[in-house]
Each structure stands twice: as C-alpha cells, then as structure tokens.
Amino acid sequence: MCPIMKELLRSNDPTIIAFATALLSGEGIEVFEMDVHMSTLEGSIGILPRRLMVRANDFIDAERAMRDNEIPLGRP
C-alpha cells in the first residue's frame, strides 16, 4: 500500500528545494521531489515550480522544520 503524500513546498528556486531536501533528510523525513523533469517541456526557463512531497504522517514535523528555518512554502 502506498503512503499518502502531501505537498509541503512549491518553488522555482532550486537552491530552496536542495536546502529543504537536505534539512528534512537530516530530520529523518523522507522527501519526494515532483516536477523535476518539467524543465524539458518548458525549455529550462524555470517557470514551472517543483514540489516537495512528504508522507502525511510527517507533514506537521516537516512544516515546523520549514518554519523554524524560515523557508517559504510557496503553496496556496
């Protein structure tokens, strides 16, 4: 059975994505990055944001880690 995933972060900035991924991995929270290969469709101009997904069970802890490190979530 697949775990339920929730969107934690949405950003066009690859440095924010990399920092958030490293931070969450250090906290023991698994992260799945979506829309990584969309740049081939958009022509690598960076208009389509990437999304970081976490397990629903880890969402509150992951969101707290983002707030504590002042990482903007960039999602509606």
Side-chain angles (χ1 to χ4, degrees):
M1 182 172 139
C2 284
I4 295 174
M5 304 291 281
K6 291 183 76 171
E7 180 182 333
L8 174 68
L9 173 94
R10 183 182 294 204
S11 179
N12 294 31
D13 187 342
T15 60
I16 290 176
I17 298 289
F19 178 56
T21 300
L23 178 72
L24 293 171
S25 294
E27 295 286 326
I29 298 173
E30 288 187 62
V31 178
F32 181 78
E33 189 176 343
M34 294 185 67
D35 307 320
V36 177
H37 301 290
M38 291 303 290
S39 62
T40 57
L41 296 176
E42 68 176 40
S44 298
I45 57 176
I47 59 170
L48 297 175
R50 293 181 183 181
R51 297 176 288 159
L52 286 185
M53 309 294 284
V54 296
R55 288 188 174 130
N57 295 345
D58 294 330
F59 185 78
I60 292 172
D61 292 333
E63 194 172 44
R64 184 178 305 116
M66 297 294 102
R67 276 195 315 271
D68 290 350
N69 288 277
E70 299 178 1
I71 298 174
L73 298 177
R75 57 175 159 56

